[in-house]
Amino acid sequence: FTTLPGELGGNHWVFFGEVNGKDGEPQPVVLTHASRIPIRRHIKIRADVNPYSPEWAEYLERRHSDLSFRSRPA
């Protein structure tokens, strides 16, 4: 954890790592903040579905082709 100067200076608990820049000097790299990743909701598949069973082929085909089954933003 560290505090970085500049626009991220207000956050005192920043995960970071260091990489060597073009000049060979170590430069801090801030890791992604989990709060900046948007939430995506996913529709669950029925518990009894077996993707290898032909009886579920129609259900799975409909899930893959129908946009209402796709994940979407929260």
Side-chain angles (χ1 to χ4, degrees), residues 17-63:
E18 290 185 347
V19 296
N20 291 332
K22 293 180 181 178
D23 56 358
E25 293 291 321
Q27 298 176 342
V29 177
V30 177
L31 301 180
T32 301
H33 294 262
S35 62
R36 293 186 181 169
I37 298 173
I39 295 172
R40 299 212 33 113
R41 303 291 180 200
H42 301 278
I43 298 173
K44 295 180 182 180
I45 295 177
R46 294 181 188 171
D48 53 343
V49 170
N50 179 352
Y52 302 106
S53 175
E55 68 182 276
W56 293 103
E58 183 180 335
Y59 170 77
L60 292 172
E61 180 63 34
R62 193 168 18 107
R63 280 191 55 87

